[in-house]
Amino acid sequence: MEDSAEHKDISYIVKVTNNCNMGCQYCYYRHNRSKSPENRMRPEVLERTIASMLDYNTDYANFIWHGGEPLLMGRPFYESIVEIQKGYLRETGKEIIITNCIQTNGVLLDDEWIDFFVENDFNVSISLDGFFDLHSMNRGTNREAFDAIMANIARLSERGVPFSVLTVVTKETIGQEEELFDFFADYDISSFGFLPMNYGDEEDSLSPDDYGAFLKRFFELWITKGKMNISIREFDEFMRGYLGQEQRLCHHTDLCDCYFTVTPTGDLYPCDCFPQNEQTKLGNVFGSIADAHEANRRFFAKSHGMPVGCKGCEFAHICNGGCRYHRWLKDEEYGQKQYYCESYRALYGEIAACLSVGSESQQSG
Ligand SMILES: C[S@@+](CC[C@H](N)C(=O)[O-])C[C@H]1O[C@@H](n2cnc3c(N)ncnc32)[C@H](O)[C@@H]1O
């Protein structure tokens, strides 16, 4: 039994289905997904998934509904999620704050879905790589599906639903930063974050140089276009760290071992990006979550502490070594600096210079 001082609340990234209505060329999950023949989560697995986290956690329970494409499960599935969660709290009297987030490609969203998300306080995150050419290039989206996504984004804005956008940066994005920035601004997309396209191999993945140049250019645009009401995850996070505030992005915390991927059959694995195989399997929602958590701690044990290469880096206390998956990619041991270290250093140097000029001019003003 674990020491209660060690107990930390866990989060689930729930693969409610492996099925998807898109065929994104770069999708890590196409290769990564478990080989289970069961592609949709059954009601008893859903019930156990929810109860297992609510039994285990003490204060907060964070569910990230994911896939595949999670909206393919249909609204009744999500209505049952809310029912199960409410029923659990009612029956146990346990006081725990539940958050639900959904990560979707946005094609199937409609007014009924939006009503449901508003009524039940779901955080919505939409995958959008940019304007039509950029988005369709790797995601294979046709014009009709793209127009549906954009109409759904407009619906969310009109309804005042807070949502964010997740943008995969690919080789094709490089050099089109201004067009991308203006596109987001034109559509009033005011909260987004980036994922460098990474396939686990250097040839196809976005290079650290390209990603660094992209981030720096985007930061310059953010400053020069005066659109600082737009929240860009990577910039906000650095500034929080720089100003000594609490970091929120999982990459910058030491909490990877609190994140689990749950497959449609209830199998538990580390964070979504890692391969799912017998070596990385941590347990199942029908088994002991304490044991699975312990297995996840062992999986990430070598990732605690900083890689040698980070010694002397002025930003190390902010990035905390960065995304563990991007560290693991280098040697499957976490021993080296993360794959995109130089990209973030390029961005952080730029932001830090900007913040120090700002504070100097305030002092002299
Ligand atoms: C696997 S999808 C599943 C959820 C949903 N179907 C969606 O499109 O948001 C989750 C996110 O991972 C991103 N993604 C997929 N493959 C990636 C890769 N190789 N590198 C970076 N991000 C990737 C997708 O663009 C999407 O934003």
Side-chain angles (χ1 to χ4, degrees), residues 208-225:
D209 281 353
D210 276 353
Y211 190 43
F214 169 86
L215 289 172
K216 270 178 71 172
R217 178 78 186 113
F218 224 82
F219 180 69
E220 280 163 21
L221 290 163
W222 190 60
I223 298 285
T224 53
K225 293 198 179 241

Side-chain angles (χ1 to χ4, degrees), residues 55-194:
D55 281 346
Y56 186 71
N57 284 5
T58 51
D59 299 312
Y60 298 97
N62 178 28
F63 294 92
I64 303 158
W65 304 103
H66 214 272
E69 172 49 40
L71 297 192
L72 286 176
M73 293 301 281
R75 231 170 358 267
F77 180 84
Y78 292 89
E79 283 158 5
S80 72
I81 287 174
V82 174
E83 281 313 303
I84 296 167
Q85 292 173 340
K86 285 185 180 158
Y88 180 99
L89 298 186
R90 212 171 33 242
E91 279 157 32
T92 60
K94 194 166 174 176
E95 288 185 11
I96 191 162
I97 297 170
I98 298 176
T99 48
N100 288 298
C101 312
I102 190 154
Q103 178 62 48
T104 170
N105 60 37
V107 177
L108 297 174
L109 272 178
D110 58 16
D111 281 325
E112 284 76 32
W113 274 113
I114 295 174
D115 286 343
F116 173 83
F117 293 142
V118 171
E119 275 159 29
N120 295 291
D121 214 10
F122 271 51
N123 298 316
V124 181
S125 170
I126 299 189
S127 296
L128 179 69
D129 293 354
F131 40 89
F132 179 68
D133 289 349
L134 264 187
H135 188 78
S136 60
M137 196 168 293
N138 291 291
R139 294 180 72 87
T141 316
N142 62 26
R143 188 36 105 169
E144 196 187 341
F146 181 78
D147 289 346
I149 300 167
M150 297 317 298
N152 292 334
I153 285 180
R155 266 195 189 102
L156 287 166
S157 294
E158 275 158 29
R159 300 275 309 270
V161 181
F163 69 95
S164 56
V165 154
L166 206 47
T167 299
V168 177
V169 181
T170 66
K171 289 174 186 165
E172 291 81 19
T173 325
I174 308 306
Q176 306 208 62
E177 292 82 3
E178 186 158 9
E179 292 81 349
L180 182 62
F181 190 97
D182 291 344
F183 170 78
F184 282 152
D186 286 349
Y187 278 89
D188 279 335
I189 295 171
S190 58
S191 171
F192 46 90
F194 301 120

Side-chain angles (χ1 to χ4, degrees), residues 322-341:
C323 171
R324 303 302 183 266
Y325 173 64
H326 287 153
R327 256 168 79 183
W328 179 88
L329 271 180
K330 288 257 188 144
D331 60 359
E332 304 200 357
E333 287 279 337
Y334 312 103
Q336 297 187 37
K337 292 195 296 181
Q338 67 137 323
Y339 191 72
Y340 290 105
C341 169

